[in-house]
Amino acid sequence: MRCRLRSTIKWSGTVLTVLLLVVWVGSAWWYAIFYLGPTLGLGVHAGRVLVVWEEPWSIIPVSSEWELGRHSSPLSFSWWFYVERGPWAAGTYAKVYIPLWALVVLFAAPTLRLWWRDRRKPPGLCVKCGYDLRGADHAVCPECGAAAPRVLKAES
């Protein structure tokens, strides 16, 4: 069960990382914003995620709509976090920009660690600590105490 869960997490992290990379690169040419009612919007624009909200909040969703478009000047990326506040028609608004590279790193780092941790050890090494057991005839690894697999010795 644990191995299956780890494998699911590894592959989910890999798919999510690749998807974030595709969205990141694609956002240099295209933008998309989804408005969730009158006071909240989520979008992808110029290499970053955009969260927009209007104050005062309205919890009654009037409508939701997509806004898709193409940038007038392609290959425009914003590389850092940014917060913007200002006056709005009925109050104030706030925009928070989160760079997509930060989300890629957030998901890619633990995924790479899982892939690195689960890589296969070459024959003749301890599966737990990697100690070289070739040439030794031990039932357990002298480094960590794990059961040592039998290594077939090559005949000369």
Side-chain angles (χ1 to χ4, degrees):
M1 178 67 182
R2 194 171 193 190
C3 183
R4 189 175 189 177
L5 178 64
R6 175 178 274 151
S7 178
T8 302
I9 292 170
K10 280 191 323 190
W11 283 104
S12 299
T14 303
V15 168
L16 186 59
T17 301
V18 169
L19 182 65
L20 282 170
L21 282 170
V22 168
V23 169
W24 183 29
V25 170
S27 71
W29 291 276
W30 294 88
Y31 68 89
I33 301 174
F34 182 65
Y35 296 102
L36 302 163
T39 62
L40 182 64
L42 302 170
V44 177
H45 179 271
R48 57 193 174 180
V49 174
L50 166 67
V51 181
V52 180
W53 66 89
E54 181 183 343
E55 299 166 351
W57 284 87
S58 172
I59 58 173
I60 301 169
V62 176
S63 66
S64 60
E65 63 182 57
W66 279 96
E67 180 182 328
L68 298 171
R70 214 176 146 96
H71 291 298
S72 57
S73 60
L75 296 176
S76 61
F77 275 123
S78 297
W79 293 94
W80 206 241
F81 298 89
Y82 183 70
V83 177
E84 178 183 332
R85 293 186 61 91
W88 196 259
T92 60
Y93 75 93
K95 292 182 182 180
V96 177
Y97 297 96
I98 303 166
L100 277 165
W101 66 260
L103 296 176
V104 169
V105 169
L106 182 70
F107 288 102
T111 302
L112 286 172
R113 176 153 167 72
L114 282 174
W115 281 103
W116 179 259
R117 186 175 177 194
D118 291 349
R119 71 192 187 285
R120 294 187 183 201
K121 305 271 194 268
L125 301 182
C126 175
V127 293
K128 187 173 180 185
C129 69
Y131 183 77
D132 189 0
L133 297 171
R134 292 174 292 191
D137 200 15
H138 299 289
V140 296
C141 174
E143 286 289 316
C144 66
R150 289 300 231 182
V151 179
L152 297 173
K153 297 179 181 177
E155 295 181 23
S156 321

